[in-house]
């Protein structure tokens, strides 16, 4: 009598309910993975290109200015090599920025 008491399912029903629950859980996990896959993309190429452009611009100006200042100190030609190297650094930075902007976005 205890086997067929109220609130208890026959033994075969437990396995079917668990299998059904596993299927629904798997479907819900797959749907959640598909929904969040769009938001977990890697960063945009435009964002990384913007960082590269900023880095090139800063590095060109600072690098040219630093080398020009060092050569001026070493050769005693102040401020001419500083100005030449600064403009050279700016030119190289702009050339690299143009090269970066011509890359094809993915």
């Amino acid at each position: 009598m205890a086997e067929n008491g109220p609130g208890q399912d026959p033994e075969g029903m437990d396995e079917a309910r668990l299998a059904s629950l596993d299927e629904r859980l798997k479907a819900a996990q797959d749907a959640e993975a598909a929904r969040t896959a769009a938001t977990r993309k890697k960063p945009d190429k435009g964002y990384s290109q913007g960082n590269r452009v900023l880095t090139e611009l800063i590095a060109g100006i600072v690098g040219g200015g630093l080398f020009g200042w060092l050569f001026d100190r070493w050769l005693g030609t102040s401020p001419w090599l500083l100005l030449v190297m600064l403009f050279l650094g700016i030119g190289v930075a702009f050339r690299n920025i143009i090269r970066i902007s011509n890359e094809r976005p993915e």
Side-chain angles (χ1 to χ4, degrees):
M1 186 153 152
E3 290 179 27
N4 295 328
Q8 291 186 354
D9 293 330
E11 284 188 29
M13 292 296 287
D14 277 344
E15 291 176 16
R17 286 177 57 202
L18 288 176
S20 173
L21 181 62
D22 284 339
E23 289 174 7
R24 288 184 293 161
L25 183 60
K26 177 74 172 145
Q29 287 173 342
D30 290 343
E32 180 67 17
R35 184 183 69 83
T36 60
T39 60
R40 278 190 280 164
K41 288 186 209 175
K42 57 184 184 178
D44 288 341
K45 182 161 179 149
Y47 181 75
S48 93
Q49 278 183 337
N51 284 337
R52 287 178 57 199
V53 165
L54 183 63
T55 302
E56 288 289 341
L57 187 61
I58 292 172
I61 294 171
V62 170
L66 181 65
F67 279 121
W69 180 77
L70 288 173
F71 287 148
D72 271 341
R73 288 286 186 157
W74 185 48
L75 299 173
T77 58
S78 186
W80 298 110
L81 282 179
L82 172 65
L83 294 174
V84 169
M85 295 297 283
L86 189 62
F87 284 115
L88 187 64
I90 292 170
V92 169
F94 284 152
R95 185 196 60 164
N96 289 340
I97 290 170
I98 291 169
R99 186 179 297 160
I100 290 170
S101 67
N102 287 334
E103 289 179 1
R104 183 180 173 142
E106 295 175 7

